[in-house]
Amino acid sequence: MLNNKMTELLKIKYPIIQAPMAGGVTTSKLVAEVSNSGGLGMIGAGYMTPVQIREQIREIRQLTSNPFGINLFVPNEFKVTDNEIKSANQLLNPIHQQLNLQPKDDFEIPIFNNVLEKFNEQIKVIIEEKVPICTFTFGIPSREVIAELKQSNIILVGTATTVREAVENEKTGMDIVVVQGSEAGGHRGSFNDGDQESLVGLMSLIPQVVDNVNIPVVAAGGIMDGRGLMASICLGAMGVQMGTAFLTCVESGAHHVHKEAILNANEVQTVLTRSFSGKWARGIKNKFILEMQKHEALLPDFPVQNTLTHDIRKTSSAQNNQDFMSLWSGQSPRLAKNQTVDSLIKNIVVEVEKINFNI
Amino acid sequence: MLNNKMTELLKIKYPIIQAPMAGGVTTSKLVAEVSNSGGLGMIGAGYMTPVQIREQIREIRQLTSNPFGINLFVPNEFKVTDNEIKSANQLLNPIHQQLNLQPKDDFEIPIFNNVLEKFNEQIKVIIEEKVPICTFTFGIPSREVIAELKQSNIILVGTATTVREAVENEKTGMDIVVVQGSEAGGHRGSFNDGDQESLVGLMSLIPQVVDNVNIPVVAAGGIMDGRGLMASICLGAMGVQMGTAFLTCVESGAHHVHKEAILNANEVQTVLTRSFSGKWARGIKNKFILEMQKHEALLPDFPVQNTLTHDIRKTSSAQNNQDFMSLWSGQSPRLAKNQTVDSLIKNIVVEVEKINFNI
């Protein structure tokens, strides 16, 4: 079914990539199950240490002999002053109080050079462990990093939210590009075009990208089933990357409160916010988003704001309290189901075969 | 090709509706040519007087014997104070000066009762002239109006931007519902859900609506060719409504500056603004949008703001100056072509037949 250049490059049966959701969602079981079912399982390694990455790669290899991939965050330069941190913390203080949290002053504020160093160590592990596929979000790594990975025969996949970003991905040597529509949940992958301007729906984005690049295009954003897969193929994509659809699966490591929030949400309940991390991301509207909304333009950049909200998110999760958790979701929560990965993928295959074109 | 309940109801050959763009775009030639080519031509009659409507219906009947339709704006209650008008005019004054326009104080400010009366007169003409299809934007007309139209065997088509709005359309007796994705150009058709929340991409919106209504669903927003039509069908729609694709056609009455602006634009250049009319609408970013951006939340509601900007838009058009014109466009301007309606529709049919699913 639907074999093409993309499935050949990735050596997978179905053109379905499980989105690399960072923050504990992509358990080894989830990743391995996706790959065992004929899709491509992905480790969302953005926040992981090199040691954690190595451990998880080895764990997954125990569970599957099929290809899987890993995703990293390309570091973006950022600067932050003590004053900015102070004011951001002042904005967060009422929330600390609601959660009975002591406002901390002693956490380690990220420094760009350290972030870059960590990224290079992550790359090193991926090469050493011979992960067959490496994907990137938030930008394109340096020529040196790309050359190094290519020398190790690792297939490289970039992320784009606009035609210009997709063309740049192709130019720098990416083998495949994932185009993220405005429907997508979680962080926006944009790195070149404005935050608002780069919110292009997939119906518009896919064909315009396909007309301007020669590498395979994978569609991401709001795709949940065989209908979304076939629509993406019609628009010129060679496959899909699905996040929310896998997040609510049995094997995903997402918090049960997060899963339930998606299963109970409708299409108008997700919004874009930068209050959790300093980067724009789509999630289900909750108390945190609403309380921070009027300040969000002023908050420090990623990953600084992410560090500042760490305790809040952690405590809220520990209390099973959805009010202050980042409930990332795409715009199709009505289509989410709590099912096994195997069912999700089997259902897609059945649906695709059933679509009656009546041409 | 693609015959279904929707093409049967509308008695058309291809499941393609030309979007009812108001403001002079939908010339009789455009409407008739679309219907003659097998699609459904539509008069965008929102701003037209009953007399103009009657004239155009009769003119179109000279040019085609195929079905065509007409679209009306459902009046929404609005209130405006003299002070609000004064401050809105103050904001517009620098633009009046740039265009050497005398700021007027004597124009007729719309009053809701008059708008409603005009709407009822428009309905009367449509019934008298036996237009076979009537579509609505900005809401759902009263039970009385719906009953009257149904008694005359007119097929009714509503507009929705969310599942809830689609369900309401079905409940009130609409025969078909057009779902407008966030990709769409021109005015947002939302009437029940918040402006930001109702910006749902078609990849998410179509299947979620299809799962919740029984009437045929037509997709609108960023659809320009056979790829978009087939993608919409895969997602569960029975057809498409295309605006921008017809706007740049030879037969459209859009200003040549508007057509050229679309033909030269890319997917990141359209933005949502309420500065032109008081209702959110998507168009190509220009000087007017940028200058008014920081004030747009404070401007009077539709149609008051639309009246206040009338002279500015008219003068800018007369000077072939795109700076202050409303350059409505969906998110797919890279796919726009200056071609005849006949070519546009023929190309879609050819593309649809060429799509290779490789299932």
Side-chain angles (χ1 to χ4, degrees):
Chain A
M1 181 194 87
L2 297 171
N3 293 308
N4 57 38
K5 201 174 150 195
M6 173 241 181
T7 56
E8 269 168 42
L9 270 170
L10 301 178
K11 299 193 173 75
I12 53 178
K13 191 169 174 194
Y14 304 126
I16 300 167
I17 301 177
Q18 163 246 311
M21 297 162 280
V25 178
T26 61
T27 59
S28 299
K29 220 175 160 181
L30 177 71
V31 177
E33 219 18 53
V34 175
S35 291
N36 283 332
S37 304
L40 185 73
M42 292 285 308
I43 307 173
Y47 299 123
M48 288 164 70
T49 65
V51 171
Q52 290 171 321
I53 289 176
R54 198 184 301 272
E55 277 176 9
Q56 188 166 13
I57 293 167
R58 293 182 176 181
E59 202 173 69
I60 292 167
R61 285 237 160 88
Q62 301 293 313
L63 301 170
T64 186
S65 52
N66 286 349
F68 61 94
I70 189 162
N71 174 269
L72 298 181
F73 294 161
V74 178
N76 301 158
E77 280 233 49
F78 63 89
K79 269 183 197 151
V80 65
T81 65
D82 284 350
N83 264 343
E84 283 166 336
I85 290 176
K86 210 179 254 175
S87 11
N89 262 332
Q90 264 163 10
L91 294 171
L92 295 171
N93 266 345
I95 294 167
H96 283 125
Q97 280 166 13
Q98 288 178 66
L99 287 167
N100 289 321
L101 268 175
Q102 284 304 320
K104 283 205 295 189
D105 285 331
D106 60 341
F107 44 69
E108 211 180 320
I109 294 299
I111 296 161
F112 179 65
N113 280 341
N114 297 349
V115 173
L116 196 61
E117 202 179 307
K118 185 184 154 193
F119 177 72
N120 289 328
E121 287 168 22
Q122 290 175 322
I123 294 283
K124 211 176 139 210
V125 175
I126 289 167
I127 292 173
E128 285 170 3
E129 295 293 326
K130 303 191 199 316
V131 181
I133 294 133
C134 185
T135 82
F136 300 98
T137 320
F138 305 152
I140 299 170
S142 68
R143 281 169 189 229
E144 294 72 32
V145 168
I146 291 176
E148 225 183 330
L149 289 162
K150 284 197 165 253
Q151 221 168 3
S152 309
N153 295 315
I154 296 173
I155 299 288
L156 304 184
V157 183
T159 306
T161 62
T162 62
V163 172
R164 186 161 72 127
E165 290 178 353
V167 169
E168 256 185 82
N169 269 288
E170 180 175 42
K171 273 192 192 154
T172 57
M174 293 289 146
D175 300 294
I176 292 171
V177 64
V178 173
V179 298
Q180 184 191 37
S182 53
E183 298 92 341
H187 283 103
R188 300 294 306 153
S190 49
F191 57 93
N192 242 338
D193 291 297
D195 298 311
Q196 293 308 309
E197 290 77 7
S198 61
L199 283 170
V200 184
L202 283 182
M203 188 65 79
S204 289
L205 187 59
I206 301 172
Q208 292 181 98
V209 168
V210 165
D211 288 350
N212 285 284
V213 300
N214 293 307
I215 53 175
V217 170
V218 172
I223 300 163
M224 307 289 281
D225 55 24
R227 295 177 287 186
L229 169 59
M230 288 311 291
S232 303
I233 301 283
C234 288
L235 292 167
M238 290 201 178
V240 294
Q241 180 171 288
M242 307 197 302
T244 313
F246 283 109
L247 192 150
T248 57
C249 276
V250 176
E251 296 89 342
S252 119
H255 196 292
H256 69 92
V257 168
H258 188 175
K259 292 186 186 182
E260 280 154 29
I262 293 174
L263 293 166
N264 292 318
N266 66 41
E267 81 288 358
V268 301
Q269 284 175 297
T270 74
V271 286
L272 288 157
T273 179
R274 64 184 295 275
S275 300
F276 283 112
S277 70
K279 252 191 208 299
W280 290 100
R282 184 180 293 283
I284 297 169
K285 213 187 298 178
N286 63 0
K287 205 171 173 188
F288 182 82
I289 292 177
L290 291 171
E291 288 190 5
M292 298 295 290
Q293 206 152 33
K294 60 177 175 291
H295 313 294
E296 67 186 352
L298 307 164
L299 300 171
D301 282 339
F302 183 89
V304 179
Q305 179 68 7
N306 199 56
T307 304
L308 300 183
T309 64
H310 178 263
D311 276 8
I312 289 172
R313 289 178 285 117
K314 200 175 147 188
T315 308
S316 191
S317 297
Q319 297 176 359
N320 295 323
N321 174 4
Q322 66 161 39
D323 288 350
F324 307 101
M325 291 167 63
S326 51
L327 304 168
W328 304 142
S329 169
Q331 287 192 309
S332 312
R334 288 180 192 261
L335 308 181
K337 285 181 190 159
N338 182 231
Q339 59 189 339
T340 61
V341 163
D342 186 58
S343 301
L344 172 60
I345 294 184
K346 280 204 175 121
N347 286 339
I348 292 177
V349 175
V350 169
E351 273 180 296
V352 166
E353 282 165 357
K354 268 205 312 209
I355 286 178
N356 176 6
F357 289 102
N358 186 23
I359 301 178
Chain B
M1 180 193 91
L2 297 170
N3 293 307
N4 56 39
K5 201 174 150 195
M6 174 242 182
T7 55
E8 268 168 44
L9 271 170
L10 301 177
K11 299 194 173 73
I12 53 178
K13 190 170 175 195
Y14 304 126
I16 299 168
I17 302 176
Q18 163 246 312
M21 297 162 280
V25 178
T26 62
T27 59
S28 298
K29 219 173 160 181
L30 177 71
V31 177
E33 220 16 55
V34 175
S35 291
N36 283 333
S37 303
L40 185 73
M42 292 286 308
I43 307 173
Y47 299 122
M48 287 164 69
T49 65
V51 173
Q52 290 171 323
I53 289 176
R54 198 184 302 272
E55 277 174 10
Q56 188 165 14
I57 293 168
R58 293 182 178 181
E59 201 173 71
I60 292 167
R61 285 235 160 89
Q62 300 294 315
L63 302 170
T64 185
S65 53
N66 286 349
F68 61 93
I70 190 162
N71 174 269
L72 297 181
F73 295 162
V74 178
N76 301 160
E77 281 235 47
F78 62 90
K79 271 184 198 148
V80 65
T81 65
D82 285 350
N83 264 342
E84 283 165 337
I85 290 177
K86 210 179 254 176
S87 12
N89 262 332
Q90 264 163 10
L91 294 171
L92 294 171
N93 266 344
I95 295 169
H96 283 124
Q97 282 166 12
Q98 289 179 65
L99 287 167
N100 287 322
L101 267 175
Q102 285 304 321
K104 283 204 295 190
D105 285 332
D106 60 341
F107 43 69
E108 212 181 320
I109 294 300
I111 296 161
F112 179 65
N113 280 341
N114 298 350
V115 173
L116 196 61
E117 203 179 307
K118 184 184 154 196
F119 176 73
N120 289 328
E121 287 168 20
Q122 291 175 322
I123 294 282
K124 212 178 137 208
V125 176
I126 290 168
I127 292 173
E128 285 170 3
E129 295 294 325
K130 301 190 200 311
V131 181
I133 295 132
C134 185
T135 82
F136 300 98
T137 320
F138 305 153
I140 299 171
S142 68
R143 281 170 188 228
E144 293 72 30
V145 168
I146 292 177
E148 226 183 328
L149 289 161
K150 286 200 163 247
Q151 221 167 4
S152 309
N153 294 314
I154 296 173
I155 299 289
L156 304 183
V157 183
T159 306
T161 63
T162 62
V163 173
R164 187 160 71 126
E165 289 178 353
V167 168
E168 255 185 83
N169 269 288
E170 179 175 40
K171 273 191 193 156
T172 57
M174 294 289 145
D175 299 295
I176 292 172
V177 64
V178 173
V179 298
Q180 185 191 36
S182 54
E183 298 91 343
H187 283 103
R188 301 293 306 154
S190 49
F191 57 93
N192 240 338
D193 289 298
D195 298 311
Q196 294 308 310
E197 289 77 8
S198 61
L199 284 170
V200 183
L202 282 182
M203 187 65 79
S204 289
L205 187 58
I206 302 172
Q208 292 182 96
V209 168
V210 165
D211 288 350
N212 285 285
V213 301
N214 293 306
I215 52 175
V217 170
V218 172
I223 300 163
M224 307 288 282
D225 56 23
R227 296 177 288 185
L229 170 59
M230 287 310 293
S232 302
I233 301 282
C234 288
L235 291 167
M238 290 201 177
V240 294
Q241 179 170 289
M242 307 197 302
T244 312
F246 283 109
L247 192 150
T248 58
C249 276
V250 175
E251 296 89 343
S252 121
H255 196 293
H256 68 93
V257 167
H258 188 175
K259 291 186 185 181
E260 280 154 29
I262 293 174
L263 293 166
N264 292 316
N266 67 40
E267 81 289 359
V268 301
Q269 284 174 297
T270 74
V271 286
L272 288 157
T273 179
R274 64 185 293 277
S275 299
F276 282 111
S277 70
K279 251 191 209 299
W280 290 99
R282 183 180 292 285
I284 297 170
K285 213 187 299 180
N286 63 359
K287 204 170 174 191
F288 182 82
I289 293 178
L290 291 172
E291 288 190 5
M292 297 296 289
Q293 206 153 34
K294 59 176 175 292
H295 313 294
E296 67 185 353
L298 306 164
L299 300 171
D301 281 340
F302 182 90
V304 179
Q305 178 69 8
N306 199 55
T307 303
L308 300 182
T309 64
H310 178 262
D311 277 6
I312 289 173
R313 290 178 284 119
K314 201 176 148 186
T315 307
S316 191
S317 297
Q319 297 177 358
N320 295 324
N321 175 2
Q322 66 160 40
D323 287 352
F324 306 102
M325 291 167 63
S326 51
L327 305 168
W328 304 142
S329 169
Q331 288 192 309
S332 311
R334 290 180 190 261
L335 308 181
K337 285 181 192 161
N338 183 230
Q339 60 189 338
T340 61
V341 163
D342 187 58
S343 299
L344 172 60
I345 294 184
K346 278 202 177 122
N347 286 339
I348 292 177
V349 175
V350 170
E351 273 180 297
V352 166
E353 281 165 357
K354 269 205 312 210
I355 287 178
N356 177 5
F357 289 103
N358 186 23
I359 301 176

